[in-house]
């Protein structure tokens, strides 16, 4: 089976309501501003805590902490979705220091990590007040992350590959293009070949284990996204080879059933672990669609459309409206397909997921007595998804876009 029905719930039939959507974006932003404490932090949602992160301890990374909230508020204001009542970057310097202290407390030296480290904090500061000193710091973080053995977006060099692409787009400075090419070259050298599957893949040395993830956060297709995004920085021969590898690996690893498609979490499951088929952005078809949405080749289009049908058949996720493993992230697959094909049914499906996600967010708030103040795992990311549903365009937060003026 392409997905586990227990992880999904029936779609609520709620008519698309532009006024309600705009009001809900504003409500999320106003409540977020109101709940920022004097140090510029937000209360952590119980679902964002685990055995290593005390749920009562405010979090700071881009993925599930203050950096993501700050970024989302600044972005929503920059694109004209809302007007802010407070400056979200007022405490950025002290929050960046807290983020480093959090990494050091866990003996983690991946300070350049895209979703967990300092790179996005410095990019926010650089967007507000660019300087050579900040550019040098960013270049040092990107260069220092090139050999990171995780080889995935959250911690590894694919994340800082993405940062180099975004910075080049912002500045047109050749230093970012050169760092992009150096990182891409290292990733090419680290590719492995599967005789069994007839495709390329990477291993990820992550959380003290070695994996063969394929997914949109930790895996192969997540690494494909910044390569596709920055392809103009590569010579024609290098890009042609990358495009061929990406197409082949996605074709060779897909599972097709009755006109629908999905991908397993791993190329090779870890010993003692059954093959895993999930249907969410971080593991499964939604992430594959989002990550290759701008691939110039049309060879994958039949597979991507089949994947979109699988996302629709599965329905909204039970884990709420968030981007990483929730209804908003899956809905971005529909927005990407609408942008790629122009077929209105994909926009209508995205908007149906948006209305369902509003109901999920309201129910979650009633249960926990608070919103979920985070970008990838919470309500700020969902607010940006609602904005993109209003404008009928897909710009996935911090993957497709970072600086609001480019959004």
């Amino acid at each position: 089976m392409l997905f586990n029905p227990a992880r999904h719930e029936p779609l609520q039939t709620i008519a698309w309501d532009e006024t309600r959507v705009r009001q809900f974006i504003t409500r999320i932003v106003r409540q977020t501003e109101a709940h920022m404490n004097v140090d510029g932090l937000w209360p952590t949602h119980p679902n964002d805590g685990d055995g290593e992160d005390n749920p009562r301890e405010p979090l700071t990374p881009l993925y599930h902490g203050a950096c993501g909230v700050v970024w989302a508020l600044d972005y929503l204001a920059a694109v004209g979705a809302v007007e802010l009542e407070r400056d979200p970057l007022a405490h950025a310097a002290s929050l960046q220091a807290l983020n480093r202290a959090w990494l050091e407390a866990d003996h983690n030296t991946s300070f350049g990590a895209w979703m967990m480290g300092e790179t996005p904090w410095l990019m926010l500061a650089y967007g507000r007040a660019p300087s050579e000193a900040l550019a040098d710091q960013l270049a040092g973080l990107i260069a220092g992350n090139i050999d990171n053995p995780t080889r995935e977006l959250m911690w590894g060099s694919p994340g800082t590959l993405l940062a180099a692409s975004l910075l080049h787009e912002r500045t047109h400075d050749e230093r970012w293009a050169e760092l992009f090419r150096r990182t891409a070259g290292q990733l090419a050298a680290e590719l492995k070949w599967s005789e069994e599957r007839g495709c390329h893949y990477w291993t990820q040395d992550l959380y003290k284990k070695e994996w063969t993830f394929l997914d949109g956060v930790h895996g192969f297709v997540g690494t494909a996204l910044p390569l596709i995004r920055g392809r103009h920085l590569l010579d024609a021969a290098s890009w042609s080879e990358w495009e061929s590898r990406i197409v082949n690996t996605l074709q060779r690893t897909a599972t097709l059933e009755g006109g629908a498609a999905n991908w397993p979490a791993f190329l090779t499951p870890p010993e003692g672990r059954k093959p895993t088929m999930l249907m969410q952005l971080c593991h499964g078809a939604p992430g594959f669609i989002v990550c290759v949405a701008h691939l110039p080749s049309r060879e994958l289009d039949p597979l991507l459309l089949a994947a979109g049908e699988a996302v629709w058949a599965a329905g909204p996720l039970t884990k709420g409206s968030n981007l990483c493993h929730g209804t908003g992230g899956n809905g971005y697959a529909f927005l990407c397909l609408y942008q790629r094909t122009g077929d209105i049914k994909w926009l209508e499906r995205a908007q149906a997921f948006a209305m369902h996600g509003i109901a999920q967010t309201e129910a979650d708030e009633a249960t926990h007595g608070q919103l979920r103040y985070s970008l990838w795992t919470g309500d700020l990311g969902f607010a940006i998804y609602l904005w993109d549903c209003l404008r009928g365009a897909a710009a996935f937060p911090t993957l497709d876009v970072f600086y609001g003026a480019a959004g």
Side-chain angles (χ1 to χ4, degrees):
M1 195 168 192
L2 294 180
F3 61 91
N4 180 355
R7 292 176 172 267
H8 299 264
E9 61 189 39
L11 177 69
Q12 297 183 44
T13 306
I14 307 171
W16 173 250
D17 185 338
E18 183 174 324
T19 299
R20 186 181 178 194
V21 169
R22 290 184 181 278
Q23 290 172 344
F24 203 72
I25 294 170
T26 301
R27 185 161 85 83
I28 289 172
V29 169
R30 289 289 169 263
Q31 287 206 38
T32 302
E33 289 187 298
H35 284 83
M36 183 174 74
N37 69 20
V38 293
D39 297 317
L41 289 160
W42 284 269
T44 300
H45 195 277
N47 291 339
D48 281 325
D50 58 29
E52 295 179 359
D53 297 314
N54 186 329
R56 293 167 295 180
E57 185 77 19
L59 300 167
T60 51
L62 179 72
Y63 175 71
H64 60 353
C67 185
V69 180
V70 167
W71 179 87
L73 292 173
D74 190 60
Y75 176 80
L76 285 165
V79 297
V82 292
E83 292 185 6
L84 300 181
E85 296 177 349
R86 306 175 69 172
D87 179 6
L89 273 72
H91 301 276
S94 60
L95 292 175
Q96 180 189 331
L98 285 176
N99 200 88
R100 176 171 276 253
W102 171 75
L103 289 167
E104 290 175 337
D106 196 37
H107 307 289
N108 194 318
T109 58
S110 296
F111 301 122
W114 179 240
M115 294 190 193
M116 295 296 194
E118 293 184 289
T119 297
W121 281 115
L122 288 174
M123 285 179 64
L124 280 166
Y126 188 80
R128 181 67 66 90
S131 70
E132 278 302 305
L134 279 173
D136 288 344
Q137 284 182 269
L138 281 163
L141 287 175
I142 294 169
N145 208 40
I146 287 175
D147 295 326
N148 192 318
T150 55
R151 305 180 192 97
E152 47 83 72
L153 279 172
M154 183 172 279
W155 295 97
S157 64
T160 38
L161 180 74
L162 175 62
S165 169
L166 291 160
L167 285 162
H168 184 269
E169 181 180 274
R170 179 76 169 182
T171 66
H172 304 291
D173 188 333
E174 179 60 22
R175 83 159 82 185
W176 309 120
E178 179 56 30
L179 282 167
F180 185 93
R181 287 188 285 269
R182 282 179 55 195
T183 306
Q186 180 66 21
L187 285 166
E190 293 170 343
L191 273 168
K192 296 181 180 293
W193 176 260
S194 169
E195 291 290 348
E196 180 184 359
R197 304 300 289 271
C199 66
H200 288 92
Y201 69 102
W202 284 283
T203 58
Q204 298 84 28
D205 295 342
L206 184 65
Y207 307 132
K208 301 179 181 179
K209 294 182 181 179
E210 185 173 273
W211 313 86
T212 59
F213 284 118
L214 295 170
D215 62 70
V217 173
H218 294 307
F220 181 91
V221 77
T223 301
L225 182 143
L227 289 164
I228 295 167
R229 194 183 193 287
R231 63 189 181 275
H232 58 289
L233 302 176
L234 303 170
D235 62 73
S238 295
W239 167 244
S240 179
E241 192 168 10
W242 277 120
E243 186 170 47
S244 177
R245 292 165 177 159
I246 292 165
V247 169
N248 181 62
T249 294
L250 267 63
Q251 288 175 333
R252 294 279 187 169
T253 55
T255 300
L256 285 158
E257 290 182 8
N262 197 10
W263 285 264
F266 313 99
L267 182 76
T268 304
E271 188 175 350
R273 195 159 174 171
K274 294 180 180 179
T276 306
M277 296 291 280
L278 300 174
M279 189 65 73
Q280 55 199 45
L281 184 106
C282 54
H283 295 292
F288 281 75
I289 295 168
V290 167
C291 288
V292 299
H294 299 288
L295 188 73
S297 169
R298 292 288 173 170
E299 284 186 71
L300 288 176
D301 281 18
L303 197 52
L304 297 179
L305 291 170
E309 294 298 344
V311 178
W312 180 249
L317 285 145
T318 59
K319 287 189 174 182
S321 63
N322 68 83
L323 298 182
C324 189
H325 35 261
T327 300
N330 282 21
Y332 260 111
F334 303 142
L335 285 177
C336 288
L337 290 173
Y338 173 61
Q339 191 166 277
R340 193 167 176 90
T341 68
D343 187 340
I344 194 67
K345 83 171 182 182
W346 297 113
L347 177 58
E348 291 169 349
R349 288 177 174 184
Q351 292 173 339
F353 269 40
M355 300 308 296
H356 184 100
I358 289 175
Q360 285 183 304
T361 305
E362 290 172 335
D364 187 76
E365 183 184 13
T367 299
H368 296 285
Q370 67 168 85
L371 290 179
R372 195 169 179 177
Y373 304 109
S374 60
L375 175 61
W376 274 73
T377 65
D379 298 327
L380 276 301
F382 181 62
I384 296 170
Y385 172 66
L386 293 177
W387 173 251
D388 281 353
C389 283
L390 283 168
R391 66 193 192 96
F396 196 95
T398 68
L399 293 185
D400 291 327
V401 64
F402 190 87
Y403 293 111

